[in-house]
Amino acid sequence: MEKIKCIGVLTSGGDAPGMNAAIRAVTRTAIYNGLSVKGIMRGYRGLINNEIVEFHSDSVSNIIQKGGTILRTARCPEFTASEGRKTAYDNMRRAGIDAVVAIGGDGTITGARIFAEEYNIPIVALPGTIDNDLSGTDSTIGFDTALNTIMECVDKIRDTATSHERLFFVEVMGHTAGYLALNGALATGAEAAIIPEMETEDDQLKTLIDNGFRKSKNSAIVLVAENPKTGGAMGLAERVKREYPQYDARVTILGHLQRGGSPSAFDRILASRLGSAAITALQEGQRNVMTGIRNGEIVYVPFSQAISHTKKLSQDMTDLVRILSI
Ligand code: ATP
């Protein structure tokens, strides 16, 4: 096995608060262990376009508290084609990079897996996404901060919902996963969460109305995961207008607000631990793994498991939203 001397670090896909803390931890742990570091700008696009910069300890000074990513991020369709990955590989070798730490979500890890297999490159990934939809880790970097942002926004919506006695659908991000919606509902005392995981089992809107919106309450807040399966907040409000016209339904879409802001203490600590563990993993000879956290302990999760979408939302949590909103 070739000895690793130089690490390339990149952030890819959707940005998430805490990515900077992760870049800092990767860079400083690598330097601490005698490795050199290069920052790859704009995710896989930077590898293809040869946007690679020398990183030193002070390259990551004063960033732990900042949202976004100093390396920038991008979606790069060219990397899904073998010609794109060939250019990326050639540029990477020319820059003297012999291992990569990739920080991102599901797509980023899928790309890392293909790239690593194709060129036999050591790659370790970090779960960087607000969606928390990667398997094998209890939390992803950015999820906690996004959840806190949602909580603050919903608290404000609650004031007006109560005053006007309205039904509010608040749409949160979530792609294919209801973690933000469900956890956000618990944190804000929302009346329900409408999530893609439940959509096949239940008409969640009907259940909400049948379960007594207006029996004991004059206002309600429902968190909805953005997803074609749930219909999103707009789709649900349309349905209320058609099927339950007696209710005054309103929509708030939180959108990109959820990605911004200074990372929470939880995300900074998580990112620092996972970033540092990525360097340890590479030095131990680990390949094709994502660093994750389970019950407070660092774990190495094979890429195939990380992107398997097998992490289940807890039924207890969905029950709890219902129980606590009577
Ligand atoms: P988020 O969860 O926040 O959306 P993500 O990492 O899932 O983040 P994507 O846009 O899905 O974001 O993926 C990021 C990048 O990973 C893509 O733009 C592309 O460059 C690369 N990628 C995704 N899927 C593949 C694939 N099948 N093959 C090669 N590269 C891929």
Side-chain angles (χ1 to χ4, degrees):
M1 198 165 49
E2 216 180 305
K3 195 163 169 354
I4 295 170
K5 294 192 212 70
C6 177
I7 309 268
V9 56
L10 62 82
T11 50
S12 154
D15 62 311
M19 279 183 163
N20 281 327
I23 296 166
R24 172 179 177 270
V26 168
T27 303
R28 295 233 166 124
T29 307
I31 294 171
Y32 180 84
N33 285 289
L35 307 174
S36 63
V37 181
K38 296 209 170 165
I40 301 161
M41 303 301 295
R42 299 180 180 80
Y44 296 126
R45 178 172 299 160
L47 270 184
I48 294 179
N49 292 347
N50 209 10
E51 292 181 85
I52 301 171
V53 292
E54 202 80 47
F55 255 36
H56 305 285
S57 182
D58 64 359
S59 311
V60 293
S61 293
N62 203 15
I63 64 167
I64 195 169
Q65 75 280 24
K66 292 190 175 135
T69 157
I70 60 160
L71 287 172
R72 308 288 186 258
T73 185
R75 312 220 187 241
C76 176
E78 296 82 2
F79 197 72
T80 58
S82 59
E83 307 85 69
R85 292 192 298 273
K86 168 84 172 67
T87 309
Y89 177 72
D90 291 343
N91 285 334
M92 181 188 136
R93 297 309 298 196
R94 218 173 292 126
I97 295 171
D98 33 36
V100 173
V101 175
I103 307 166
D106 189 44
T108 301
I109 297 177
T110 304
R113 184 187 184 203
I114 294 168
F115 194 43
E117 274 170 14
E118 213 165 28
Y119 291 101
N120 194 23
I121 313 164
I123 307 188
V124 169
L126 260 66
T129 168
I130 65 168
D131 296 343
N132 200 22
D133 59 349
L134 291 165
S135 302
T137 185
D138 292 340
S139 192
T140 56
I141 298 163
F143 173 65
D144 183 68
T145 307
L147 196 51
N148 277 287
T149 303
I150 290 168
M151 185 178 75
E152 284 168 26
C153 294
V154 173
D155 286 350
K156 291 188 167 88
I157 293 166
R158 173 72 75 185
D159 294 343
T160 175
T162 311
S163 302
H164 280 280
E165 307 189 315
R166 277 176 177 147
L167 166 61
F168 257 91
F169 293 108
V170 182
E171 185 174 297
V172 300
M173 285 188 171
H175 238 3
T176 52
Y179 293 96
L180 284 172
L182 183 58
N183 285 276
L186 267 179
T188 56
E191 277 60 32
I194 295 194
I195 53 178
E197 289 85 344
M198 301 279 291
E199 204 47 33
T200 45
E201 296 156 32
D202 198 6
D203 180 344
Q204 297 174 82
L205 177 64
K206 185 170 182 306
T207 308
L208 168 76
I209 306 268
D210 291 351
N211 279 355
F213 169 56
R214 279 287 152 88
K215 270 189 211 140
S216 59
K217 295 187 175 190
N218 284 331
S219 71
I221 292 187
V222 178
L223 265 66
V224 187
E226 56 155 6
N227 185 288
K229 269 196 202 165
T230 62
M234 291 295 239
L236 288 164
E238 289 295 321
R239 264 194 69 193
V240 170
K241 210 183 276 174
R242 271 197 321 270
E243 297 169 33
Y244 309 97
Q246 65 275 34
Y247 299 130
D248 185 11
R250 296 297 158 107
V251 167
T252 300
I253 297 174
L254 296 185
H256 286 82
L257 250 182
Q258 296 162 85
R259 287 194 187 281
S262 179
S264 64
F266 181 90
D267 275 331
R268 296 182 198 193
I269 294 166
L270 179 66
S272 299
R273 292 183 70 192
L274 295 183
S276 189
I279 300 301
T280 310
L282 283 169
Q283 291 202 303
E284 282 175 359
Q286 296 278 346
R287 298 288 181 267
N288 293 347
V289 292
M290 173 189 84
T291 56
I293 190 120
R294 233 178 286 150
N295 301 321
E297 300 291 331
I298 298 285
V299 289
Y300 299 147
V301 185
F303 283 166
S304 52
Q305 186 192 344
I307 57 178
S308 63
H309 292 285
T310 49
K311 185 156 83 178
K312 293 266 176 295
L313 271 176
S314 138
Q315 182 65 45
D316 291 352
M317 300 266 284
T318 44
D319 291 345
L320 198 54
V321 171
R322 192 169 38 79
I323 293 166
L324 299 184
S325 67
I326 53 171

